[in-house]
Amino acid sequence: EISLGLVGSEMCKETGISVGHILSDHEELVAAIENRETDKAREISKRHLNRYTENINSIKDNYAEYFKE
């Protein structure tokens, strides 16, 4: 079972990224890796990373101190 800490939970609320999606992505990815399903793991990884690509402006607005100009 995977859980997010307080910081992760707060970031998700402020940026609109679903905690449920993050957790399910991680759980599915671990299962795919354990089962040696490389194509499935690749697909899950891409989907997971695209969630952040879609929300990068919101993340940067809320957490500018983590980004270099």
Side-chain angles (χ1 to χ4, degrees), residues 2-4 18-29 48:
I2 300 171
S3 64
L4 288 175
S18 167
V19 175
H21 285 140
I22 293 169
L23 292 176
S24 66
D25 286 351
H26 286 198
E27 291 169 344
E28 288 178 39
L29 183 57
H48 181 69

Side-chain angles (χ1 to χ4, degrees), residues 7-54:
V7 173
S9 297
E10 291 301 315
M11 286 179 69
C12 294
K13 280 194 291 189
E14 292 178 16
T15 60
I17 299 170
S18 167
V19 175
H21 285 140
I22 293 169
L23 292 176
S24 66
D25 286 351
H26 286 198
E27 291 169 344
E28 288 178 39
L29 183 57
V30 168
I33 292 169
E34 288 176 341
N35 294 325
R36 300 185 186 274
E37 299 174 290
T38 56
D39 289 338
K40 186 172 182 178
R42 187 177 296 113
E43 177 186 320
I44 294 164
S45 295
K46 286 180 183 178
R47 179 185 68 209
H48 181 69
L49 293 174
N50 282 335
R51 293 188 202 287
Y52 295 99
T53 303
E54 294 168 0

